Amino acid sequence: MNPRNTIIALLLCCCPICASAQTGGDNYRDIYNEAEQKYNIGQLEQAEELLQHHIKTLPIEMRQSAYRLLALCYLGMDRDTEAQDYVRLLLDNNPYYSTTLDDPQRFIDMVEDIKAGNTATITTASSQAETLQEVPVPTTLITEEMIRVSGARNLQEVLAIYVPGMIPIDCNDDINISMRGIYSNSQEKILFMLNGHRLNSYCTNTAAPDFSISLEKLKQIEVLRGPASSLYGGVSLTAVVNLITKQGAEVDGLKVRAGIGNYGQYRGDAIFGKRYFDLDLLVWGSFHMAKGEQRFVGKEDTGLKQYEGDVTIGRVGNKPNYDIGASIKYKKLQFLYNGQFSQIQAPMTMTHTFSPYDADKYKTFNGIRPSHTSFSHHAHVSLGQQFGDFYLKGDFAYDNNDLTHYQVITEAPLPGLSTILPLPEHSKSLLENHTGGFARYISGQEHTFSTKLQGDWSYINNGTHKGLLTFGAEYSYFQLDDARYAFTYDFQNTLPETANISEVGKGHENNANVYAQLKHQWGPFILNAGLRFDYKARYDTTYIREFSPRVALIFVQPKWNVKLSYSKAFTDAPYLYRKTNQFLLAMLGATGREQLLLGLSPETMHSWQLTLAGTQLVKGLNLELNAFYNQMRDMIYMSVLEHYNMGNSNIYGIEFAGSYDHRNFYAHLSASWMKATRYEMDSDSYDRAFNMPRFSANAVLAWKPTSRLQLHTRLAFYAKQRTNYINIINYGTMENANNMINKLETKLKEKGELTREEQITYAKLQEVIHDASQELLVSKEVPPYFIWDLGARYQIGKLELSFNVNNLLNRQYSISGACTGLIPQRGRWFLFDVAYKF
């Protein structure tokens, strides 16, 4: 065919199509004009109904106008929640949208508030966007500006400042935090996520809120206070912390920051973000280094009372912590990568010994000196698509983590150490000839693959009822390789490793779950109910089957709301704990009963919460009061090296959070009061929970005396608390005496009698055991303490100067945690930094 004729034919074919498209466009324009006319004459419900009927078929270029008009209709009907939903859709469609002088003032204020984050939505509570008034459980939203004015150095401090019930604790292994009096040796009871992707290790359950998590990349932090297994399964036992990164369009360029401070502090941050049509790109990188603060600790403050010396507080290790990552969004496709290196050097030796040591004396394993170290990679890709009233989203994730737990046991001689450690006889005899420099080294490399399919079905949406059903299924495969378990002595020597130790550590586990959640709103009432079933095949052929329900009833009014909720959550014993117990059993040749005792069950929690909140009671004022009652069962504690389910607790309390933001002044107050009605540990009952202050409060104040200068301060108070720990010297004495008694009893069985001297020795040994057992557990009062931080920020065009002082009064105080005594905390630290936006 002639090319010219072909082109003419194609043009003729396209003409009807173009005409049809033009006609369709005109029809949609007529629909919008009709809705706008109805709005102008006050027929708000008719305008809203007309737009809602056609909103999903409107061309993309017309949706911005439709979202605006729907928001205006809802404002006119005093339905602020729906108005906010459509303002957010408007801003998602066009982040640079600006109001005009012709717009109603309420609409202008709502747009500006949402842009500033004052009424930002969260997605963590119900796996869908909703306001704080709608979430089924008490939730704390921490914005970027709140992070800046807090003066916090890391995520632990941000959470302690703004989240009532979260208390800093020090378990002498890594940076840790408790929630409502529940904690463990590492942070393994709270689920940490980055844009909805789990950061907690699948081997240890931990995700320390330390300097390996950059605060510069965050737009907001969403914190669910209370159990959340109905959506997130294990690990989300006491809370969920979802870190939400900025969008590239919000950064719109390159921003760099560098800081220097006392005690060898160095930090650097760089973040780049841009939006190119449908492509949104965000790239970040940060590092933090600190040599630490030297302080003398006397004999009376150590576990080994005959040993004293200098400790190093706040040292991040011999390598800097860093956080690098990228987020790429193209239409409905999203990709996330995050790499983190975390290294924290404990100020004192491990657990019950807690005495001074010098980390530089010890040998290195793969270049690492004694520390808690993790080198992790997280990659996540997801794709979502709307199909009428259905929304489906699928994602795939890969996690890799090289973890090292290198702990100094004791630098000083410890009576009975060879008896306490689970070692072969030839190793024990070797240790008896040496007097110090003992350490334990555990390492492994974990790989986890996971895939998830989630759906949302909007089954009803009219003027009276609004319903959404969320459902999903998830599968993950975890594997641990290159496991190692070693002991060192004389600082540089390693005990001969048993050949099968590496094989004992290796293993894999499978997890699968399904869940469903119903959110139905009729008038001012919202019912939010969910149920999740988790199935886990452990490495040892045992199985975990757990149901996690949640139900909440919410009553929403324009300026206040009430929530009543119940939820149940669980977390399985960490893989590392279970493998360590298995190793100890193999080394000790345990009996059947001992094997039963060392078997670990999941920890569970039941929680009831009642929340009363007021939103914009007067302009800028928000208040929340929450009462909770938690029942914790089968809590896991570490005895000396092994772990047991040996704790239960009933804790109730009241939490308060309030903020006021008006013009150039901002104030935030969070406070909590907690009390334990039942606290059991290792078959003993106590009248109070350990390392949980009855009362705690944090206040942040910020003031802008000029447009360029901002001053801020933080005030914190923690009431007295009590800690307890094992007297390791008495424990070693008991173990030695028990071994000697066992030898005498063996001789008695073989010969039928003991000599007079042996009988006297037997009686004395029993007295030694009795006396040592009377002082086996040490309990101490931790005095109350007050912290005052101060800071300032000055803006000169694109240049920003900041100065922060933490613990301004240089208060010398100590806190504790699981299985350790009092650990000294940082004194006066300051940091100066400079930032520039390109």
Side-chain angles (χ1 to χ4, degrees):
M1 179 181 272
N2 189 303
R4 180 181 175 184
N5 294 335
T6 302
I7 294 172
I8 292 172
L10 288 172
L11 288 173
L12 290 173
C13 291
C14 288
C15 285
I17 299 172
C18 294
S20 174
Q22 182 66 39
T23 302
D26 291 341
N27 288 339
Y28 288 129
R29 174 58 61 184
D30 291 341
I31 292 169
Y32 177 80
N33 289 339
E34 183 183 350
E36 189 173 39
Q37 260 187 346
K38 291 182 181 296
Y39 169 78
N40 289 332
I41 62 175
Q43 295 179 357
L44 304 181
E45 293 182 357
Q46 292 89 331
E48 180 260 346
E49 183 179 355
L50 185 61
L51 287 172
Q52 284 287 10
H53 185 69
H54 295 281
I55 190 70
K56 294 178 182 177
T57 58
L58 287 177
I60 294 176
E61 62 271 13
M62 293 184 62
R63 287 187 188 174
Q64 176 177 312
S65 298
Y67 292 151
R68 172 187 172 276
L69 188 54
L70 276 168
L72 292 173
C73 289
Y74 286 123
L75 277 175
M77 293 184 284
D78 289 325
R79 291 161 62 179
D80 288 6
T81 300
E82 289 95 332
Q84 289 173 356
D85 290 341
Y86 281 99
V87 170
R88 291 188 187 91
L89 288 171
L90 171 62
L91 294 175
D92 287 342
N93 187 262
N94 179 9
Y96 305 104
Y97 177 82
S98 297
T99 55
T100 67
L101 294 176
D102 295 331
D103 287 322
Q105 188 60 46
R106 287 177 66 195
F107 178 74
I108 295 173
D109 290 343
M110 185 172 287
V111 170
E112 295 306 314
D113 283 344
I114 291 177
K115 279 186 173 182
N118 294 336
T119 57
T121 57
I122 67 169
T123 59
T124 310
S126 299
S127 192
Q128 56 189 271
E130 56 190 356
T131 64
L132 286 173
Q133 292 91 331
E134 297 178 278
V135 296
V137 293
T139 303
T140 300
L141 177 64
I142 305 170
T143 65
E144 177 186 4
E145 183 60 20
M146 290 169 67
I147 297 173
R148 297 298 304 277
V149 300
S150 70
R153 293 164 289 193
N154 55 44
L155 183 57
Q156 179 208 43
E157 294 181 356
V158 174
L159 297 176
I161 290 170
Y162 287 114
V163 184
M166 282 196 173
I167 309 294
I169 55 173
D170 196 332
C171 297
N172 204 26
D173 284 331
D174 59 4
I175 289 178
N176 206 340
I177 195 164
S178 69
M179 181 62 184
R180 297 173 177 169
I182 305 299
Y183 52 89
S184 51
N185 292 325
S186 299
Q187 193 301 110
E188 59 198 47
K189 305 281 193 278
I190 300 172
L191 176 63
F192 283 81
M193 302 190 296
L194 181 65
N195 292 346
H197 175 58
R198 168 175 168 156
L199 295 179
N200 295 67
S201 160
Y202 286 81
C203 178
T204 63
N205 287 357
T206 62
D210 59 15
F211 296 98
S212 68
I213 298 177
S214 167
L215 299 178
E216 195 71 21
K217 69 177 185 285
L218 300 181
K219 174 185 177 181
Q220 64 189 45
I221 303 171
E222 302 171 4
V223 184
L224 269 65
R225 308 198 318 262
S229 286
S230 63
L231 274 180
Y232 300 108
V235 185
S236 54
L237 186 71
T238 60
V240 175
V241 178
N242 195 7
L243 311 172
I244 309 298
T245 61
K246 299 172 183 175
Q247 302 254 351
E250 294 167 332
V251 178
D252 194 29
L254 173 65
K255 186 174 184 179
V256 295
R257 182 182 301 274
I260 187 171
N262 59 343
Y263 301 121
Q265 292 181 89
Y266 297 95
R267 64 164 287 188
D269 291 275
I271 184 169
F272 171 79
K274 276 289 184 182
R275 176 172 288 178
Y276 306 95
F277 300 102
D278 292 327
L279 177 67
D280 189 272
L281 174 66
L282 181 74
V283 181
W284 70 84
S286 69
F287 77 89
H288 174 86
M289 187 71 187
K291 293 182 179 178
E293 171 187 355
Q294 296 285 327
R295 190 180 303 170
F296 179 80
V297 175
K299 296 178 181 179
E300 68 280 0
D301 295 321
T302 69
L304 305 179
K305 300 302 181 184
Q306 74 272 30
Y307 190 48
E308 62 185 12
D310 290 328
V311 299
T312 304
I313 306 168
R315 181 176 177 180
V316 301
N318 56 316
K319 296 180 180 180
N321 286 200
Y322 64 78
D323 179 2
I324 58 174
S327 173
I328 304 172
K329 298 180 180 180
Y330 178 72
K331 295 185 177 179
K332 301 295 183 180
L333 182 66
Q334 300 183 20
F335 171 78
L336 171 71
Y337 166 75
N338 186 213
Q340 299 171 285
F341 180 80
S342 168
Q343 187 175 53
I344 300 296
Q345 181 185 302
M348 306 175 84
T349 58
M350 70 176 288
T351 58
H352 308 293
T353 62
F354 61 97
S355 295
Y357 73 103
D358 183 356
D360 294 326
K361 291 182 180 179
Y362 292 81
K363 69 175 296 181
T364 61
F365 288 89
N366 299 321
I368 295 175
R369 296 194 186 278
S371 60
H372 192 287
T373 302
S374 174
F375 182 28
S376 60
H377 303 272
H378 312 276
H380 179 206
V381 61
S382 65
L383 177 64
Q385 186 62 51
Q386 188 78 39
F387 301 96
D389 292 329
F390 285 90
Y391 176 78
L392 289 178
K393 181 181 179 182
D395 60 51
F396 176 80
Y398 170 70
D399 294 88
N400 170 263
N401 189 10
D402 291 331
L403 55 96
T404 298
H405 208 173
Y406 186 2
Q407 301 168 296
V408 176
I409 299 172
T410 173
E411 195 159 291
L414 176 59
L417 178 64
S418 61
T419 304
I420 296 172
L421 295 179
L423 297 170
E425 289 302 322
H426 65 276
S427 295
K428 290 185 177 183
S429 60
L430 183 62
L431 278 187
E432 290 172 0
N433 299 322
H434 300 272
T435 57
F438 302 109
R440 179 177 75 161
Y441 174 84
I442 303 175
S443 69
Q445 184 180 83
E446 62 174 288
H447 307 270
T448 304
F449 300 88
S450 61
T451 183
K452 181 179 180 180
L453 180 65
Q454 176 183 312
D456 295 326
W457 174 37
S458 179
Y459 61 87
I460 189 171
N461 189 356
N462 55 41
T464 306
H465 293 271
K466 183 178 180 181
L468 186 69
L469 178 65
T470 301
F471 52 90
E474 186 177 9
Y475 169 78
S476 64
Y477 174 85
F478 158 80
Q479 179 173 314
L480 184 70
D481 297 323
D482 304 325
R484 190 174 178 189
Y485 197 118
F487 289 91
T488 68
Y489 65 96
D490 286 347
F491 303 100
Q492 294 292 321
N493 300 319
T494 305
L495 290 174
E497 295 186 39
T498 306
N500 67 346
I501 288 180
S502 179
E503 294 303 316
V504 169
K506 293 179 182 179
H508 68 270
E509 297 187 332
N510 294 276
N511 296 267
N513 68 77
V514 292
Y515 65 91
Q517 178 182 259
L518 175 71
K519 180 181 178 183
H520 191 99
Q521 180 173 0
W522 67 103
F525 292 97
I526 299 175
L527 173 67
N528 191 311
L531 180 66
R532 171 166 163 152
F533 174 70
D534 281 84
Y535 174 85
K536 181 175 185 178
R538 287 173 162 185
Y539 72 87
D540 57 0
T541 70
T542 59
Y543 299 94
I544 300 297
R545 299 178 180 88
E546 288 284 346
F547 283 96
S548 302
R550 178 182 71 186
V551 61
L553 184 62
I554 309 165
F555 181 69
V556 181
Q557 291 295 294
K559 289 185 176 293
W560 59 276
N561 60 85
V562 181
K563 305 170 188 175
L564 178 63
S565 67
Y566 161 78
S567 54
K568 179 216 173 219
F570 82 100
T571 182
D572 192 19
Y575 176 91
L576 182 64
Y577 288 3
R578 291 180 277 121
K579 276 291 184 178
T580 301
N581 278 7
Q582 183 188 23
F583 166 74
L584 296 174
L585 289 170
M587 298 297 294
L588 297 173
T591 65
R593 174 169 172 74
E594 289 168 333
Q595 292 179 20
L596 181 63
L597 290 173
L598 284 177
L600 293 175
S601 302
E603 300 171 279
T604 60
M605 174 182 282
H606 297 265
S607 180
W608 292 262
Q609 302 192 77
L610 176 63
T611 311
L612 175 63
T615 306
Q616 298 292 311
L617 296 173
V618 297
K619 187 172 178 59
L621 178 64
N622 298 308
L623 300 174
E624 180 194 84
L625 188 66
N626 179 62
F628 69 89
Y629 178 69
N630 291 342
Q631 288 183 336
M632 184 75 184
R633 297 296 179 262
D634 295 322
M635 288 188 293
I636 296 174
Y637 288 100
M638 185 170 73
S639 178
V640 176
L641 294 173
E642 68 277 19
H643 297 83
Y644 295 94
N645 290 106
M646 57 178 183
N648 298 298
S649 69
N650 296 343
I651 297 175
Y652 67 90
I654 299 174
E655 300 167 340
F656 172 82
S659 64
Y660 181 71
D661 190 0
H662 185 60
R663 295 181 181 176
N664 298 322
F665 178 75
Y666 172 77
H668 187 280
L669 173 65
S670 66
S672 64
W673 177 87
M674 297 179 285
K675 180 177 173 59
T677 60
R678 175 186 182 186
Y679 198 80
E680 300 171 349
M681 186 171 62
D682 195 17
S683 71
D684 292 323
S685 296
Y686 303 89
D687 60 354
R688 60 191 297 188
F690 294 113
N691 304 302
M692 184 188 79
R694 288 275 180 90
F695 178 77
S696 63
N698 278 268
V700 174
L701 306 174
W703 177 49
K704 292 188 71 172
T706 71
S707 60
R708 294 182 176 181
L709 176 65
Q710 183 182 72
L711 305 175
H712 54 263
T713 187
R714 174 234 179 172
L715 305 169
F717 173 77
Y718 295 91
K720 68 179 181 179
Q721 48 193 297
R722 180 171 290 277
T723 186
N724 81 318
Y725 55 89
I726 293 177
N727 184 325
I728 197 67
I729 294 179
N730 282 2
Y731 185 88
T733 301
M734 287 176 60
E735 288 296 303
N736 272 340
N738 274 320
N739 282 343
M740 295 174 68
I741 284 179
N742 288 337
K743 292 179 181 179
L744 290 174
E745 288 178 346
T746 301
K747 185 177 180 181
L748 179 61
K749 288 180 181 178
E750 292 174 351
K751 297 189 175 182
E753 61 178 355
L754 296 175
T755 65
R756 178 61 179 170
E757 292 77 10
E758 289 171 338
Q759 292 175 6
I760 294 173
T761 301
Y762 188 92
K764 288 182 178 179
L765 288 172
Q766 288 182 319
E767 290 180 5
V768 167
I769 292 174
H770 177 269
D771 293 342
S773 66
Q774 297 304 304
E775 298 182 0
L776 185 60
L777 282 178
V778 179
S779 183
K780 280 190 174 183
E781 284 285 340
V782 181
Y785 60 94
F786 171 78
I787 302 297
W788 182 19
D789 301 338
L790 200 61
R793 184 173 63 190
Y794 191 76
Q795 190 90 28
I796 311 172
K798 295 184 177 182
L799 182 68
E800 179 185 294
L801 305 175
S802 300
F803 183 72
N804 285 288
V805 183
N806 297 88
N807 195 356
L808 179 67
L809 303 179
N810 199 27
R811 172 66 188 269
Q812 306 291 299
Y813 68 102
S814 298
I815 59 178
S816 185
C819 304
T820 191
L822 296 177
I823 307 299
Q825 304 299 301
R826 293 184 181 95
R828 184 189 300 115
W829 287 49
F830 62 81
L831 183 72
F832 171 79
D833 62 51
V834 55
Y836 190 81
K837 173 73 178 294
F838 294 92

